[in-house]
Amino acid sequence: GDHHESHAACAFYPSPFAEAAIMTLDGVGEWTTTSYGYGAGAEIHTLAEVKFPHSLGLFYTAITYFTGFKPNSGEYKLMGLAPYGEPKYADLMFEHLIDLKQDGSFKLDLSYFNYLAGLTMTSDRMANLFGGPPRRPESPLTQREMDLARSCQVVTEEVMMRIARTAHAETGMRNLCLAGGVALNCVGNGRLL
């Protein structure tokens, strides 16, 4: 099976549930970055997926990079910074960076990101959108970074909630298993709960 089926299996098989909806939310694992489905007994079924380069994890990592933290390791710092800010960039993110549908499916506007072609996570377009270049690592944190962190967290939670609602509506199951890097977002998990 592929990376996401492995994620789903790692979450569902050890769980106490005979059946459960399953969400996997990741940066990138092979080509699927986000999926939902369900497990019943020994079987796992995928109902929908989002493919690379569209990725909630890479969106989160891009904002991690933009706020001056280390990609693929500093994400927890972004989550920890979020309560100190206001979600004043969330509307801009929904308008420009991520096109989120009611069912939780989404596409990123790749012109704001640079992880496909470059050595950085974000492009000059993102710097223009958020009023200046990425924060230099180790430089002082400003209110902008706190507000970007909160905005990114709000957007991420909204995607998680919409996917969870859709998974629940389609499976009718009360239990939910989560897997993948984005599932480490304990604040988002609190919202789901």
Side-chain angles (χ1 to χ4, degrees):
D2 67 17
H3 183 89
H4 270 252
E5 281 169 8
S6 306
H7 265 324
C10 287
F12 175 64
Y13 290 137
S15 82
F17 309 129
E19 59 171 37
I22 306 170
M23 284 167 51
T24 67
L25 306 149
D26 212 353
V28 58
E30 288 159 40
W31 295 106
T32 300
T33 64
T34 306
S35 69
Y36 70 86
Y38 64 96
E43 293 194 354
I44 288 178
H45 301 274
T46 300
L47 295 174
E49 53 189 16
V50 174
K51 297 228 184 264
F52 183 83
H54 304 288
S55 164
L56 187 59
L58 288 175
F59 165 79
Y60 206 92
T61 295
I63 303 300
T64 298
Y65 162 83
F66 193 84
T67 51
F69 301 117
K70 195 170 177 219
N72 302 315
S73 77
E75 283 76 9
Y76 73 97
K77 295 180 180 174
L78 192 71
M79 186 176 67
L81 198 60
Y84 297 95
E86 296 300 322
K88 58 173 60 166
Y89 298 103
D91 289 346
L92 273 180
M93 289 177 175
F94 281 124
E95 204 177 313
H96 294 280
L97 302 186
I98 185 165
D99 178 19
L100 176 61
K101 303 294 187 226
Q102 204 53 51
D103 67 357
S105 62
F106 61 87
K107 281 197 158 46
L108 301 181
D109 182 338
L110 298 169
S111 68
Y112 289 92
F113 300 88
N114 204 28
Y115 54 79
L116 287 178
L119 297 173
T120 58
M121 291 293 303
T122 61
S123 73
D124 290 343
R125 286 197 75 180
M126 195 176 292
N128 294 336
L129 187 65
F130 296 138
R135 171 181 162 256
R136 286 198 321 281
E138 308 305 323
S139 66
L141 280 163
T142 69
Q143 192 62 45
R144 180 184 78 149
E145 281 76 50
M146 297 174 200
D147 293 341
L148 281 167
R150 177 72 180 279
S151 302
C152 180
Q153 184 66 29
V154 163
V155 169
T156 298
E157 288 173 22
E158 186 59 30
V159 178
M160 292 173 78
M161 294 297 287
R162 288 193 194 183
I163 296 170
R165 282 189 204 110
T166 302
H168 180 258
E170 289 191 20
T171 65
M173 293 179 178
R174 290 186 50 88
N175 300 319
L176 176 62
C177 295
L178 297 170
V182 180
L184 298 173
N185 191 301
C186 54
V187 179
N189 291 350
R191 286 282 309 283
L192 289 176
L193 204 57

